[in-house]
mmCIF file of all heavy atoms in Angstrom:
data_model
loop_
_atom_site.group_PDB
_atom_site.id
_atom_site.type_symbol
_atom_site.label_atom_id
_atom_site.label_comp_id
_atom_site.label_asym_id
_atom_site.label_seq_id
_atom_site.Cartn_x
_atom_site.Cartn_y
_atom_site.Cartn_z
ATOM 1 N N ALA A 49 54.032 19.755 -63.593
ATOM 2 C CA ALA A 49 55.469 20.047 -63.858
ATOM 3 C C ALA A 49 56.254 19.795 -62.615
ATOM 4 O O ALA A 49 55.713 19.928 -61.459
ATOM 5 C CB ALA A 49 55.609 21.420 -64.382
ATOM 6 N N ASP A 50 57.508 19.395 -62.784
ATOM 7 C CA ASP A 50 58.393 19.230 -61.550
ATOM 8 C C ASP A 50 58.686 20.532 -60.889
ATOM 9 O O ASP A 50 59.195 21.451 -61.468
ATOM 10 C CB ASP A 50 59.669 18.546 -62.002
ATOM 11 C CG ASP A 50 59.480 17.067 -62.295
ATOM 12 O OD1 ASP A 50 58.492 16.500 -61.971
ATOM 13 O OD2 ASP A 50 60.454 16.461 -62.865
ATOM 14 N N VAL A 51 58.416 20.583 -59.574
ATOM 15 C CA VAL A 51 58.774 21.660 -58.705
ATOM 16 C C VAL A 51 59.808 21.188 -57.773
ATOM 17 O O VAL A 51 59.575 20.229 -57.020
ATOM 18 C CB VAL A 51 57.543 22.236 -57.925
ATOM 19 C CG1 VAL A 51 57.957 23.385 -57.001
ATOM 20 C CG2 VAL A 51 56.432 22.613 -58.861
ATOM 21 N N LYS A 52 61.051 21.818 -57.830
ATOM 22 C CA LYS A 52 62.087 21.437 -56.972
ATOM 23 C C LYS A 52 62.092 22.280 -55.716
ATOM 24 O O LYS A 52 62.177 23.518 -55.860
ATOM 25 C CB LYS A 52 63.453 21.500 -57.704
ATOM 26 C CG LYS A 52 63.480 20.528 -58.821
ATOM 27 C CD LYS A 52 64.887 20.608 -59.528
ATOM 28 C CE LYS A 52 65.102 19.766 -60.676
ATOM 29 N NZ LYS A 52 64.214 18.802 -61.103
ATOM 30 N N LEU A 53 61.983 21.643 -54.515
ATOM 31 C CA LEU A 53 61.945 22.399 -53.376
ATOM 32 C C LEU A 53 63.154 22.106 -52.379
ATOM 33 O O LEU A 53 63.514 20.924 -52.282
ATOM 34 C CB LEU A 53 60.674 21.943 -52.565
ATOM 35 C CG LEU A 53 59.295 22.300 -53.116
ATOM 36 C CD1 LEU A 53 58.235 21.528 -52.459
ATOM 37 C CD2 LEU A 53 59.020 23.754 -52.937
ATOM 38 N N ASP A 54 63.712 23.147 -51.859
ATOM 39 C CA ASP A 54 64.702 23.074 -50.812
ATOM 40 C C ASP A 54 64.108 23.688 -49.511
ATOM 41 O O ASP A 54 63.851 24.859 -49.599
ATOM 42 C CB ASP A 54 65.980 23.804 -51.234
ATOM 43 C CG ASP A 54 66.646 23.154 -52.466
ATOM 44 O OD1 ASP A 54 66.713 21.923 -52.485
ATOM 45 O OD2 ASP A 54 67.156 23.908 -53.317
ATOM 46 N N LEU A 55 63.926 22.877 -48.526
ATOM 47 C CA LEU A 55 63.128 23.321 -47.391
ATOM 48 C C LEU A 55 63.955 23.182 -46.155
ATOM 49 O O LEU A 55 64.830 22.240 -45.979
ATOM 50 C CB LEU A 55 61.927 22.467 -47.187
ATOM 51 C CG LEU A 55 60.922 22.427 -48.360
ATOM 52 C CD1 LEU A 55 59.822 21.462 -48.131
ATOM 53 C CD2 LEU A 55 60.253 23.840 -48.565
ATOM 54 N N ARG A 56 63.704 24.061 -45.176
ATOM 55 C CA ARG A 56 64.239 23.892 -43.770
ATOM 56 C C ARG A 56 63.009 24.029 -42.856
ATOM 57 O O ARG A 56 62.351 25.086 -42.905
ATOM 58 C CB ARG A 56 65.259 24.932 -43.508
ATOM 59 C CG ARG A 56 65.925 24.727 -42.125
ATOM 60 C CD ARG A 56 67.015 25.637 -41.862
ATOM 61 N NE ARG A 56 66.460 27.000 -41.599
ATOM 62 C CZ ARG A 56 67.081 28.073 -42.019
ATOM 63 N NH1 ARG A 56 68.230 28.056 -42.628
ATOM 64 N NH2 ARG A 56 66.522 29.295 -41.756
ATOM 65 N N LEU A 57 62.775 23.023 -42.050
ATOM 66 C CA LEU A 57 61.683 23.021 -41.103
ATOM 67 C C LEU A 57 62.375 23.138 -39.681
ATOM 68 O O LEU A 57 63.148 22.401 -39.355
ATOM 69 C CB LEU A 57 60.879 21.712 -41.154
ATOM 70 C CG LEU A 57 59.860 21.576 -42.259
ATOM 71 C CD1 LEU A 57 60.555 21.448 -43.602
ATOM 72 C CD2 LEU A 57 58.967 20.411 -42.052
ATOM 73 N N GLU A 58 61.878 24.195 -38.941
ATOM 74 C CA GLU A 58 62.419 24.456 -37.663
ATOM 75 C C GLU A 58 61.318 24.480 -36.612
ATOM 76 O O GLU A 58 60.330 25.279 -36.820
ATOM 77 C CB GLU A 58 63.130 25.769 -37.616
ATOM 78 C CG GLU A 58 64.327 25.884 -38.526
ATOM 79 C CD GLU A 58 64.961 27.273 -38.548
ATOM 80 O OE1 GLU A 58 65.694 27.609 -37.565
ATOM 81 O OE2 GLU A 58 64.604 28.012 -39.455
ATOM 82 N N ALA A 59 61.427 23.728 -35.515
ATOM 83 C CA ALA A 59 60.427 23.870 -34.450
ATOM 84 C C ALA A 59 60.778 25.052 -33.656
ATOM 85 O O ALA A 59 61.856 25.319 -33.292
ATOM 86 C CB ALA A 59 60.521 22.614 -33.611
ATOM 87 N N VAL A 60 59.701 25.923 -33.388
ATOM 88 C CA VAL A 60 59.826 27.073 -32.580
ATOM 89 C C VAL A 60 58.760 27.038 -31.518
ATOM 90 O O VAL A 60 57.937 26.071 -31.560
ATOM 91 C CB VAL A 60 59.712 28.343 -33.436
ATOM 92 C CG1 VAL A 60 60.889 28.533 -34.296
ATOM 93 C CG2 VAL A 60 58.433 28.463 -34.142
ATOM 94 N N MET A 61 58.670 27.962 -30.586
ATOM 95 C CA MET A 61 57.745 27.900 -29.480
ATOM 96 C C MET A 61 56.317 27.814 -29.970
ATOM 97 O O MET A 61 55.463 26.944 -29.484
ATOM 98 C CB MET A 61 57.917 29.084 -28.562
ATOM 99 C CG MET A 61 59.165 29.117 -27.773
ATOM 100 S SD MET A 61 59.363 27.800 -26.600
ATOM 101 C CE MET A 61 58.137 28.185 -25.443
ATOM 102 N N GLU A 62 55.999 28.633 -31.005
ATOM 103 C CA GLU A 62 54.517 28.645 -31.480
ATOM 104 C C GLU A 62 54.190 27.659 -32.535
ATOM 105 O O GLU A 62 52.962 27.392 -32.697
ATOM 106 C CB GLU A 62 54.254 30.068 -32.116
ATOM 107 C CG GLU A 62 54.501 31.217 -31.256
ATOM 108 C CD GLU A 62 56.049 31.662 -31.333
ATOM 109 O OE1 GLU A 62 56.771 31.102 -32.089
ATOM 110 O OE2 GLU A 62 56.397 32.593 -30.546
#
Side-chain angles (χ1 to χ4, degrees):
D50 284 347
V51 178
K52 294 180 182 358
L53 294 164
D54 294 320
L55 304 170
R56 186 175 70 214
L57 283 68
E58 299 174 81
V60 294
M61 293 296 291
E62 303 86 6

